[in-house]
Amino acid sequence: AQSVTQLDSQVPVFEEAPVELRCNYSSSVSVYLFWYVQYPNQGLQLLLKYLSGSTLVKGINGFEAEFNKSQTSFHLRKPSVHISDTAEYFCAVSDPAGFQKLVFGTGTRLLVSP
Amino acid sequence: ETGVTQSPTHLIKTRGQQVTLRCSSQSGHNTVSWYQQALGQGPQFIFQYYREEENGRGNFPPRFSGLQFPNYSSELNVNALELDDSALYLCASSPGLAGDLLAETQYFGPGTRLLVL
């Protein structure tokens, strides 16, 4: 069975500072990895995904993530955050050999203050 | 904007009642999945449909059921509502099936928030 751990439930940061949101996964098979963002009272929007190829993945809104197989991690980074990045961020995995069941972490709330 | 819509946006029901939630996927998206997101939690997979057939199911009881129609719309039905069913229900569509890289990106709708009293 697969699982996702997002170690930080909340990350406060000042505007224009860099940020890293951590995600670790557990799986006995290879996985696909995703980061989704959820703004208040909205659904989920895909930020980026890793399916294969380069381990450094660039997404929308200036976010990027690096897949580290040896550490089973897929941390999300942004070099300079904006107030508008305040939202809930979810890391998710799926099994390439199975159907598209996404297993989500519990989420990290990013709070950007001026 | 993902092109996935859900209705209603909010719903209040009482314990024991039945509810139907609706989702409209993008044209050409043959796969639809439903997720339950309790307050403060990540979404939990309920089930998935591909071309009108159930293709996989999570750890939810049989009172959670679904339908998918040829016009890319789908329904989630929940019978005998319980207080713990209060949650945001999300549908997500994708253009293919497992094994197809195009299918690995799921596009989520805005959700239906269900409150069971």
Coordinates of all heavy atoms in Angstrom, one line a residue, chain A residues 32 34 36 38 41-46 49 51-52 88 90 94-107, chain B residues 31 33 35 37 40-43 45 48 55-57 88 90 94 96-99 101 103-106 108-110 113:
Chain A
Y32 N 4.0 7.5 -9.5 CA 3.9 8.9 -10.1 C 3.6 9.8 -8.9 O 3.0 9.4 -7.9 CB 2.7 8.9 -11.0 CG 2.9 8.1 -12.3 CD1 1.8 7.5 -12.9 CD2 4.1 8.0 -12.9 CE1 1.9 6.8 -14.1 CE2 4.3 7.3 -14.1 CZ 3.2 6.7 -14.7 OH 3.3 6.0 -15.8
F34 N 2.6 13.9 -7.5 CA 1.9 15.1 -7.8 C 1.9 16.1 -6.7 O 1.9 15.7 -5.5 CB 0.4 14.8 -8.2 CG 0.2 13.8 -9.2 CD1 0.3 12.4 -8.9 CD2 0.0 14.1 -10.5 CE1 0.1 11.4 -9.9 CE2 -0.2 13.2 -11.5 CZ -0.1 11.8 -11.2
Y36 N -0.7 19.3 -5.6 CA -1.9 20.1 -5.9 C -2.0 21.2 -4.9 O -1.6 21.1 -3.8 CB -3.2 19.2 -5.8 CG -3.4 18.3 -6.9 CD1 -2.9 17.0 -7.0 CD2 -4.3 18.6 -8.0 CE1 -3.1 16.1 -8.1 CE2 -4.6 17.8 -9.0 CZ -4.0 16.5 -9.1 OH -4.2 15.7 -10.1
Q38 N -4.8 24.0 -3.2 CA -6.3 24.2 -2.9 C -6.4 25.6 -2.2 O -6.0 25.8 -1.1 CB -6.9 23.1 -2.0 CG -8.4 23.2 -1.9 CD -8.9 22.0 -1.1 OE1 -8.3 21.5 -0.2 NE2 -10.1 21.6 -1.5
N41 N -12.1 27.3 -0.1 CA -13.4 27.1 -0.7 C -13.4 26.7 -2.2 O -14.3 27.0 -2.9 CB -14.4 28.2 -0.5 CG -14.6 28.5 1.0 OD1 -14.8 27.6 1.8 ND2 -14.4 29.8 1.4
Q42 N -12.3 26.1 -2.6 CA -12.1 25.7 -4.0 C -11.7 24.3 -4.1 O -11.3 23.7 -3.1 CB -11.2 26.7 -4.7 CG -11.6 28.1 -4.9 CD -10.7 28.9 -5.8 OE1 -10.0 28.4 -6.6 NE2 -10.7 30.2 -5.5
G43 N -11.7 23.8 -5.3 CA -11.2 22.4 -5.6 C -9.7 22.4 -5.7 O -9.0 23.4 -5.3
L44 N -9.2 21.3 -6.2 CA -7.7 21.2 -6.3 C -7.2 21.6 -7.7 O -7.8 21.2 -8.7 CB -7.3 19.7 -6.1 CG -7.7 19.2 -4.7 CD1 -7.4 17.7 -4.6 CD2 -7.0 19.9 -3.6
Q45 N -6.1 22.3 -7.7 CA -5.5 22.6 -9.0 C -4.1 22.0 -9.1 O -3.3 22.1 -8.1 CB -5.3 24.2 -9.1 CG -4.7 24.7 -10.3 CD -4.5 26.2 -10.4 OE1 -4.8 26.9 -9.4 NE2 -4.1 26.7 -11.5
L46 N -3.8 21.4 -10.2 CA -2.5 20.7 -10.3 C -1.4 21.7 -10.5 O -1.4 22.6 -11.3 CB -2.5 19.8 -11.6 CG -1.2 19.1 -11.9 CD1 -0.9 18.0 -10.8 CD2 -1.3 18.4 -13.3
K49 N 3.8 17.7 -11.8 CA 3.7 16.2 -11.7 C 5.1 15.6 -12.1 O 5.8 16.2 -13.0 CB 2.6 15.6 -12.5 CG 2.7 15.9 -14.0 CD 1.5 15.5 -14.8 CE 1.6 15.9 -16.2 NZ 0.4 15.6 -17.0
L51 N 6.2 12.0 -13.7 CA 5.8 10.7 -14.3 C 7.0 9.9 -14.6 O 7.1 8.7 -14.4 CB 4.9 10.9 -15.5 CG 3.6 11.7 -15.3 CD1 2.8 11.7 -16.6 CD2 2.8 11.2 -14.1
S52 N 8.0 10.6 -15.3 CA 9.3 9.9 -15.7 C 10.2 11.0 -16.1 O 9.8 12.2 -16.2 CB 9.0 8.9 -16.8 OG 8.6 9.5 -17.9
E88 N -3.6 25.8 0.8 CA -3.3 24.4 1.2 C -2.6 23.7 0.1 O -3.1 23.7 -1.1 CB -4.6 23.7 1.7 CG -4.4 22.4 2.4 CD -4.1 22.7 3.9 OE1 -4.5 23.7 4.4 OE2 -3.6 21.7 4.6
F90 N -1.2 20.0 -1.3 CA -1.3 18.5 -1.1 C -0.3 17.8 -2.0 O -0.3 18.0 -3.2 CB -2.7 18.0 -1.4 CG -3.7 18.5 -0.4 CD1 -4.5 19.6 -0.7 CD2 -3.9 17.8 0.8 CE1 -5.4 20.0 0.3 CE2 -4.9 18.2 1.7 CZ -5.6 19.3 1.4
S94 N 0.4 8.0 -7.1 CA -0.4 7.0 -7.7 C 0.5 5.9 -8.2 O 1.7 6.1 -8.5 CB -1.3 7.6 -8.9 OG -0.5 7.9 -10.0
D95 N -0.1 4.7 -8.4 CA 0.7 3.6 -8.9 C 0.5 3.4 -10.4 O -0.6 3.3 -10.9 CB 0.1 2.3 -8.2 CG 0.7 1.0 -8.7 OD1 1.6 1.1 -9.5 OD2 0.2 0.0 -8.2
P96 N 1.7 3.5 -11.1 CA 1.6 3.5 -12.6 C 1.0 2.2 -13.1 O 0.4 2.1 -14.2 CB 3.0 3.6 -13.0 CG 3.7 4.2 -11.9 CD 3.0 3.8 -10.6
A97 N 1.1 1.1 -12.3 CA 0.5 -0.2 -12.7 C -0.9 -0.4 -12.4 O -1.5 -1.3 -12.9 CB 1.3 -1.3 -12.1
G98 N -1.5 0.5 -11.6 CA -2.9 0.4 -11.2 C -3.7 1.4 -11.9 O -3.3 2.0 -12.8
F99 N -4.9 1.5 -11.4 CA -5.8 2.6 -12.0 C -5.4 3.9 -11.2 O -4.6 3.9 -10.3 CB -7.3 2.2 -11.8 CG -7.6 1.9 -10.4 CD1 -8.1 2.9 -9.5 CD2 -7.5 0.6 -9.8 CE1 -8.5 2.6 -8.2 CE2 -7.9 0.4 -8.5 CZ -8.4 1.4 -7.7
Q100 N -6.0 5.0 -11.7 CA -5.5 6.3 -11.2 C -6.1 6.6 -9.8 O -6.7 7.6 -9.7 CB -6.0 7.3 -12.2 CG -5.6 7.1 -13.6 CD -6.5 7.8 -14.5 OE1 -7.2 8.8 -14.1 NE2 -6.7 7.3 -15.7
K101 N -5.8 5.8 -8.9 CA -6.2 6.2 -7.5 C -5.1 7.1 -6.9 O -3.9 6.6 -6.8 CB -6.3 4.9 -6.7 CG -6.4 5.2 -5.2 CD -6.4 3.8 -4.4 CE -6.4 4.0 -3.0 NZ -6.3 2.8 -2.2
L102 N -5.4 8.3 -6.6 CA -4.5 9.2 -6.0 C -4.5 9.0 -4.5 O -5.6 9.0 -3.9 CB -4.8 10.6 -6.3 CG -4.4 11.1 -7.7 CD1 -5.0 12.5 -8.0 CD2 -2.9 11.1 -7.9
V103 N -3.4 8.8 -3.8 CA -3.3 8.8 -2.4 C -2.7 10.1 -1.9 O -1.5 10.4 -2.3 CB -2.4 7.6 -1.9 CG1 -2.3 7.6 -0.4 CG2 -3.1 6.3 -2.4
F104 N -3.4 10.9 -1.1 CA -3.0 12.2 -0.7 C -2.4 12.2 0.7 O -2.7 11.4 1.5 CB -4.2 13.2 -0.7 CG -4.7 13.6 -2.1 CD1 -5.6 12.8 -2.8 CD2 -4.2 14.7 -2.7 CE1 -6.0 13.2 -4.0 CE2 -4.6 15.1 -3.9 CZ -5.6 14.3 -4.6
G105 N -1.5 13.2 0.9 CA -1.1 13.5 2.2 C -2.1 14.4 2.9 O -3.2 14.7 2.3
T106 N -1.9 14.7 4.1 CA -2.8 15.5 4.9 C -2.8 17.0 4.6 O -3.6 17.7 5.2 CB -2.6 15.3 6.4 OG1 -1.2 15.5 6.7 CG2 -3.0 13.8 6.8
G107 N -1.8 17.4 3.8 CA -1.8 18.8 3.4 C -0.8 19.7 4.3 O -0.6 19.4 5.5
Chain B
T31 N -12.7 8.9 -18.0 CA -12.4 8.5 -16.6 C -12.9 9.5 -15.6 O -12.5 10.7 -15.8 CB -11.0 8.1 -16.4 OG1 -10.6 7.1 -17.4 CG2 -10.8 7.5 -15.0
S33 N -13.2 10.1 -11.3 CA -13.0 9.6 -10.0 C -13.7 10.5 -9.0 O -13.8 11.7 -9.2 CB -11.5 9.5 -9.6 OG -10.8 8.7 -10.6
Y35 N -13.8 11.7 -4.8 CA -13.0 11.8 -3.6 C -13.8 12.5 -2.5 O -14.6 13.4 -2.8 CB -11.7 12.6 -3.8 CG -10.7 11.9 -4.7 CD1 -10.8 12.0 -6.1 CD2 -9.6 11.2 -4.2 CE1 -9.9 11.4 -6.9 CE2 -8.7 10.6 -5.0 CZ -8.8 10.7 -6.4 OH -7.9 10.1 -7.2
Q37 N -13.3 14.7 1.0 CA -12.3 15.4 1.7 C -13.0 15.9 3.0 O -13.7 16.9 3.0 CB -11.7 16.6 0.9 CG -10.6 17.3 1.6 CD -10.0 18.5 0.8 OE1 -10.6 18.9 -0.1 NE2 -8.9 18.9 1.2
G40 N -10.0 19.5 7.2 CA -8.6 19.4 7.7 C -7.9 18.2 7.2 O -6.8 17.9 7.7
Q41 N -8.4 17.4 6.2 CA -7.8 16.2 5.8 C -7.5 16.3 4.3 O -8.0 17.2 3.6 CB -8.7 15.0 6.0 CG -9.0 14.8 7.5 CD -7.7 14.5 8.3 OE1 -6.9 13.7 7.9 NE2 -7.6 15.1 9.5
G42 N -6.7 15.4 3.8 CA -6.5 15.3 2.3 C -7.7 14.5 1.8 O -8.4 13.7 2.5
P43 N -7.9 14.6 0.5 CA -9.0 13.8 -0.2 C -8.7 12.3 -0.1 O -7.6 11.9 -0.1 CB -8.9 14.3 -1.6 CG -8.2 15.6 -1.6 CD -7.2 15.5 -0.5
F45 N -9.9 8.6 -1.8 CA -10.5 8.0 -3.0 C -11.7 7.2 -2.7 O -11.7 6.3 -1.8 CB -9.4 7.2 -3.7 CG -9.9 6.4 -4.9 CD1 -10.0 7.1 -6.1 CD2 -10.2 5.1 -4.8 CE1 -10.4 6.4 -7.2 CE2 -10.6 4.4 -5.9 CZ -10.7 5.0 -7.1
Q48 N -13.8 5.0 -9.0 CA -13.5 5.5 -10.3 C -14.4 4.8 -11.3 O -14.6 3.6 -11.2 CB -12.0 5.3 -10.6 CG -11.6 5.8 -12.0 CD -10.2 5.4 -12.3 OE1 -9.9 4.4 -12.8 NE2 -9.3 6.4 -11.9
N55 N -14.3 1.0 -12.1 CA -13.0 0.6 -12.5 C -12.1 0.4 -11.2 O -11.0 -0.1 -11.3 CB -12.4 1.6 -13.4 CG -11.0 1.1 -14.0 OD1 -10.9 0.0 -14.5 ND2 -10.0 2.0 -13.8
G56 N -12.6 0.8 -10.1 CA -11.8 0.6 -8.8 C -12.5 1.3 -7.7 O -13.3 2.2 -7.9
R57 N -12.3 0.9 -6.5 CA -13.0 1.4 -5.4 C -12.1 1.5 -4.2 O -11.3 0.6 -3.9 CB -14.2 0.4 -5.0 CG -15.2 1.0 -4.1 CD -16.4 0.1 -3.9 NE -17.3 0.7 -3.0 CZ -18.4 1.4 -3.4 NH1 -18.6 1.6 -4.7 NH2 -19.2 1.9 -2.5
L88 N -16.3 17.7 1.9 CA -16.3 18.2 0.5 C -16.1 17.0 -0.4 O -15.2 16.2 -0.2 CB -15.1 19.2 0.4 CG -14.9 19.9 -1.0 CD1 -16.1 20.8 -1.3 CD2 -13.6 20.6 -1.0
L90 N -15.3 15.8 -4.1 CA -14.6 16.2 -5.3 C -14.7 15.2 -6.4 O -14.5 14.0 -6.1 CB -13.2 16.5 -5.0 CG -12.9 17.6 -4.0 CD1 -11.4 17.5 -3.5 CD2 -13.1 19.0 -4.6
S94 N -10.2 12.5 -16.2 CA -9.0 12.4 -17.0 C -9.3 11.8 -18.3 O -10.3 11.1 -18.5 CB -7.9 11.6 -16.3 OG -8.2 10.3 -16.2
G96 N -8.0 9.4 -20.1 CA -7.7 8.0 -20.5 C -7.8 7.0 -19.3 O -8.5 7.3 -18.3
L97 N -7.0 6.0 -19.4 CA -7.1 4.9 -18.4 C -5.7 4.7 -17.9 O -4.7 5.0 -18.6 CB -7.7 3.7 -19.0 CG -8.1 2.6 -18.0 CD1 -9.2 3.1 -17.1 CD2 -8.7 1.4 -18.8
A98 N -5.5 4.0 -16.8 CA -4.2 3.6 -16.3 C -3.4 3.0 -17.4 O -3.8 2.1 -18.1 CB -4.3 2.7 -15.1
G99 N -2.1 3.3 -17.4 CA -1.2 2.8 -18.4 C -1.0 3.8 -19.6 O -0.1 3.7 -20.3
L101 N -0.2 7.6 -20.3 CA 0.4 8.8 -19.5 C -0.6 9.9 -19.6 O -0.6 10.7 -18.6 CB 1.7 9.2 -20.1 CG 2.9 8.3 -19.7 CD1 4.2 8.8 -20.3 CD2 3.0 8.2 -18.2
A103 N -3.5 9.9 -19.1 CA -4.6 9.6 -18.1 C -4.1 10.0 -16.7 O -4.9 10.0 -15.8 CB -5.0 8.2 -18.1
E104 N -2.8 10.2 -16.5 CA -2.3 10.3 -15.2 C -2.5 11.7 -14.6 O -2.2 11.9 -13.4 CB -0.8 10.0 -15.1 CG -0.5 8.5 -15.4 CD -1.2 7.6 -14.5 OE1 -1.5 8.0 -13.3 OE2 -1.5 6.4 -14.9
T105 N -3.0 12.6 -15.3 CA -3.4 13.9 -14.7 C -4.9 14.0 -14.6 O -5.6 13.8 -15.5 CB -2.9 15.1 -15.6 OG1 -1.5 15.0 -15.8 CG2 -3.3 16.4 -15.0
Q106 N -5.3 14.2 -13.3 CA -6.7 14.3 -13.0 C -7.0 15.8 -12.8 O -6.3 16.5 -12.1 CB -7.1 13.5 -11.8 CG -6.8 12.0 -12.0 CD -7.3 11.2 -10.8 OE1 -8.4 11.4 -10.3 NE2 -6.6 10.1 -10.5
F108 N -9.6 18.4 -11.3 CA -10.7 18.4 -10.3 C -11.7 19.5 -10.5 O -11.4 20.6 -10.9 CB -10.0 18.6 -8.9 CG -9.3 17.4 -8.4 CD1 -8.1 17.0 -8.8 CD2 -10.0 16.6 -7.4 CE1 -7.5 15.8 -8.3 CE2 -9.4 15.4 -6.9 CZ -8.1 15.0 -7.4
G109 N -12.9 19.2 -10.1 CA -13.9 20.2 -10.0 C -13.9 21.0 -8.7 O -13.0 20.6 -7.8
P110 N -14.7 22.0 -8.5 CA -14.7 22.8 -7.3 C -15.3 22.1 -6.1 O -15.1 22.6 -4.9 CB -15.5 24.0 -7.7 CG -16.4 23.5 -8.7 CD -15.7 22.5 -9.5
R113 N -20.0 20.8 -1.1 CA -19.8 20.7 0.4 C -21.1 20.2 0.9 O -22.2 20.8 0.8 CB -19.5 22.0 1.0 CG -19.1 21.9 2.5 CD -18.4 23.1 3.0 NE -17.1 23.4 2.3 CZ -15.9 22.7 2.6 NH1 -15.9 21.8 3.5 NH2 -14.8 23.1 2.0

